[in-house]
PDB file of all heavy atoms in Angstrom:
ATOM      1  N   LEU A 126      16.542  10.887 -15.897  1.00 93.00           N
ATOM      2  CA  LEU A 126      17.385  12.012 -16.324  1.00 93.00           C
ATOM      3  C   LEU A 126      16.669  12.897 -17.345  1.00 93.00           C
ATOM      4  O   LEU A 126      16.738  14.140 -17.273  1.00 93.00           O
ATOM      5  CB  LEU A 126      18.685  11.469 -16.930  1.00 93.00           C
ATOM      6  CG  LEU A 126      19.729  12.512 -17.425  1.00 93.00           C
ATOM      7  CD1 LEU A 126      20.201  13.354 -16.239  1.00 93.00           C
ATOM      8  CD2 LEU A 126      20.883  11.802 -18.090  1.00 93.00           C
ATOM      9  N   LYS A 127      15.929  12.255 -18.247  1.00 91.00           N
ATOM     10  CA  LYS A 127      15.162  13.017 -19.258  1.00 91.00           C
ATOM     11  C   LYS A 127      14.112  13.902 -18.616  1.00 91.00           C
ATOM     12  O   LYS A 127      13.935  15.055 -19.004  1.00 91.00           O
ATOM     13  CB  LYS A 127      14.540  12.042 -20.254  1.00 91.00           C
ATOM     14  CG  LYS A 127      13.800  12.699 -21.383  1.00 91.00           C
ATOM     15  CD  LYS A 127      13.242  11.668 -22.347  1.00 91.00           C
ATOM     16  CE  LYS A 127      12.513  12.352 -23.529  1.00 91.00           C
ATOM     17  NZ  LYS A 127      12.002  11.338 -24.496  1.00 91.00           N
ATOM     18  N   ARG A 128      13.421  13.339 -17.611  1.00 88.00           N
ATOM     19  CA  ARG A 128      12.366  14.111 -16.949  1.00 88.00           C
ATOM     20  C   ARG A 128      12.955  15.271 -16.136  1.00 88.00           C
ATOM     21  O   ARG A 128      12.339  16.307 -15.977  1.00 88.00           O
ATOM     22  CB  ARG A 128      11.537  13.201 -16.055  1.00 88.00           C
ATOM     23  CG  ARG A 128      10.738  12.159 -16.817  1.00 88.00           C
ATOM     24  CD  ARG A 128      10.098  11.147 -15.909  1.00 88.00           C
ATOM     25  NE  ARG A 128       9.020  11.719 -15.133  1.00 88.00           N
ATOM     26  CZ  ARG A 128       8.115  10.973 -14.477  1.00 88.00           C
ATOM     27  NH1 ARG A 128       8.193   9.663 -14.495  1.00 88.00           N
ATOM     28  NH2 ARG A 128       7.152  11.521 -13.794  1.00 88.00           N
ATOM     29  N   THR A 129      14.168  15.066 -15.632  1.00 88.00           N
ATOM     30  CA  THR A 129      14.806  16.119 -14.820  1.00 88.00           C
ATOM     31  C   THR A 129      15.349  17.228 -15.698  1.00 88.00           C
ATOM     32  O   THR A 129      15.304  18.405 -15.362  1.00 88.00           O
ATOM     33  CB  THR A 129      15.938  15.511 -13.966  1.00 88.00           C
ATOM     34  OG1 THR A 129      15.408  14.395 -13.233  1.00 88.00           O
ATOM     35  CG2 THR A 129      16.528  16.530 -13.022  1.00 88.00           C
ATOM     36  N   GLY A 130      15.926  16.817 -16.833  1.00 86.00           N
ATOM     37  CA  GLY A 130      16.499  17.784 -17.757  1.00 86.00           C
ATOM     38  C   GLY A 130      17.984  17.974 -17.551  1.00 86.00           C
ATOM     39  O   GLY A 130      18.501  17.899 -16.436  1.00 86.00           O
ATOM     40  N   VAL A 131      18.695  18.190 -18.657  1.00 88.00           N
ATOM     41  CA  VAL A 131      20.125  18.456 -18.636  1.00 88.00           C
ATOM     42  C   VAL A 131      20.375  19.931 -18.857  1.00 88.00           C
ATOM     43  O   VAL A 131      19.886  20.487 -19.855  1.00 88.00           O
ATOM     44  CB  VAL A 131      20.889  17.633 -19.704  1.00 88.00           C
ATOM     45  CG1 VAL A 131      22.362  17.947 -19.702  1.00 88.00           C
ATOM     46  CG2 VAL A 131      20.643  16.134 -19.502  1.00 88.00           C
ATOM     47  N   PRO A 132      21.066  20.638 -17.965  1.00 88.00           N
ATOM     48  CA  PRO A 132      21.359  22.072 -18.190  1.00 88.00           C
ATOM     49  C   PRO A 132      22.084  22.281 -19.525  1.00 88.00           C
ATOM     50  O   PRO A 132      22.891  21.431 -19.974  1.00 88.00           O
ATOM     51  CB  PRO A 132      22.248  22.429 -17.014  1.00 88.00           C
ATOM     52  CG  PRO A 132      21.946  21.418 -15.963  1.00 88.00           C
ATOM     53  CD  PRO A 132      21.659  20.147 -16.705  1.00 88.00           C
ATOM     54  N   ASN A 133      21.837  23.381 -20.190  1.00 83.00           N
ATOM     55  CA  ASN A 133      22.420  23.654 -21.492  1.00 83.00           C
ATOM     56  C   ASN A 133      23.846  24.227 -21.440  1.00 83.00           C
ATOM     57  O   ASN A 133      24.448  24.450 -22.486  1.00 83.00           O
ATOM     58  CB  ASN A 133      21.512  24.621 -22.282  1.00 83.00           C
ATOM     59  CG  ASN A 133      20.238  23.960 -22.740  1.00 83.00           C
ATOM     60  OD1 ASN A 133      20.263  22.779 -23.129  1.00 83.00           O
ATOM     61  ND2 ASN A 133      19.117  24.679 -22.687  1.00 83.00           N
ATOM     62  N   GLU A 134      24.357  24.450 -20.263  1.00 88.00           N
ATOM     63  CA  GLU A 134      25.695  25.036 -20.155  1.00 88.00           C
ATOM     64  C   GLU A 134      26.740  24.039 -20.681  1.00 88.00           C
ATOM     65  O   GLU A 134      26.560  22.809 -20.627  1.00 88.00           O
ATOM     66  CB  GLU A 134      25.994  25.387 -18.698  1.00 88.00           C
ATOM     67  CG  GLU A 134      25.903  24.215 -17.740  1.00 88.00           C
ATOM     68  CD  GLU A 134      25.956  24.621 -16.293  1.00 88.00           C
ATOM     69  OE1 GLU A 134      25.440  25.707 -15.979  1.00 88.00           O
ATOM     70  OE2 GLU A 134      26.533  23.839 -15.488  1.00 88.00           O
ATOM     71  N   ASP A 135      27.838  24.569 -21.178  1.00 90.00           N
ATOM     72  CA  ASP A 135      28.851  23.743 -21.861  1.00 90.00           C
ATOM     73  C   ASP A 135      29.400  22.641 -20.956  1.00 90.00           C
ATOM     74  O   ASP A 135      29.610  21.522 -21.415  1.00 90.00           O
ATOM     75  CB  ASP A 135      30.011  24.646 -22.324  1.00 90.00           C
ATOM     76  CG  ASP A 135      29.601  25.494 -23.538  1.00 90.00           C
ATOM     77  OD1 ASP A 135      28.575  25.187 -24.146  1.00 90.00           O
ATOM     78  OD2 ASP A 135      30.338  26.456 -23.855  1.00 90.00           O
ATOM     79  N   GLN A 136      29.664  22.947 -19.688  1.00 93.00           N
ATOM     80  CA  GLN A 136      30.256  21.956 -18.789  1.00 93.00           C
ATOM     81  C   GLN A 136      29.381  20.728 -18.671  1.00 93.00           C
ATOM     82  O   GLN A 136      29.874  19.580 -18.719  1.00 93.00           O
ATOM     83  CB  GLN A 136      30.484  22.596 -17.422  1.00 93.00           C
ATOM     84  CG  GLN A 136      31.128  21.590 -16.426  1.00 93.00           C
ATOM     85  CD  GLN A 136      31.161  22.167 -15.011  1.00 93.00           C
ATOM     86  OE1 GLN A 136      30.617  23.241 -14.743  1.00 93.00           O
ATOM     87  NE2 GLN A 136      31.778  21.424 -14.104  1.00 93.00           N
ATOM     88  N   SER A 137      28.060  20.930 -18.524  1.00 93.00           N
ATOM     89  CA  SER A 137      27.131  19.787 -18.363  1.00 93.00           C
ATOM     90  C   SER A 137      27.046  18.956 -19.633  1.00 93.00           C
ATOM     91  O   SER A 137      27.091  17.732 -19.568  1.00 93.00           O
ATOM     92  CB  SER A 137      25.742  20.320 -17.986  1.00 93.00           C
ATOM     93  OG  SER A 137      25.769  20.958 -16.736  1.00 93.00           O
ATOM     94  N   VAL A 138      26.970  19.623 -20.780  1.00 93.00           N
ATOM     95  CA  VAL A 138      26.852  18.928 -22.073  1.00 93.00           C
ATOM     96  C   VAL A 138      28.126  18.140 -22.343  1.00 93.00           C
ATOM     97  O   VAL A 138      28.117  16.985 -22.799  1.00 93.00           O
ATOM     98  CB  VAL A 138      26.509  19.890 -23.205  1.00 93.00           C
ATOM     99  CG1 VAL A 138      26.498  19.153 -24.554  1.00 93.00           C
ATOM    100  CG2 VAL A 138      25.171  20.566 -22.957  1.00 93.00           C
ATOM    101  N   LYS A 139      29.290  18.747 -22.078  1.00 93.00           N
ATOM    102  CA  LYS A 139      30.569  18.067 -22.315  1.00 93.00           C
ATOM    103  C   LYS A 139      30.709  16.850 -21.421  1.00 93.00           C
ATOM    104  O   LYS A 139      31.192  15.780 -21.846  1.00 93.00           O
ATOM    105  CB  LYS A 139      31.727  19.035 -22.056  1.00 93.00           C
ATOM    106  CG  LYS A 139      31.939  20.074 -23.141  1.00 93.00           C
ATOM    107  CD  LYS A 139      33.106  20.993 -22.800  1.00 93.00           C
ATOM    108  CE  LYS A 139      33.314  22.033 -23.897  1.00 93.00           C
ATOM    109  NZ  LYS A 139      34.440  22.971 -23.555  1.00 93.00           N
ATOM    110  N   ALA A 140      30.266  16.971 -20.154  1.00 94.00           N
ATOM    111  CA  ALA A 140      30.353  15.831 -19.232  1.00 94.00           C
ATOM    112  C   ALA A 140      29.457  14.685 -19.703  1.00 94.00           C
ATOM    113  O   ALA A 140      29.844  13.502 -19.621  1.00 94.00           O
ATOM    114  CB  ALA A 140      29.964  16.282 -17.817  1.00 94.00           C
TER     115      ALA A 140
END
Side-chain angles (χ1 to χ4, degrees):
L126 181 61
K127 183 178 181 178
R128 293 172 70 166
T129 307
V131 178
N133 288 322
E134 59 190 33
D135 287 346
Q136 181 189 4
S137 296
V138 176
K139 284 179 180 179

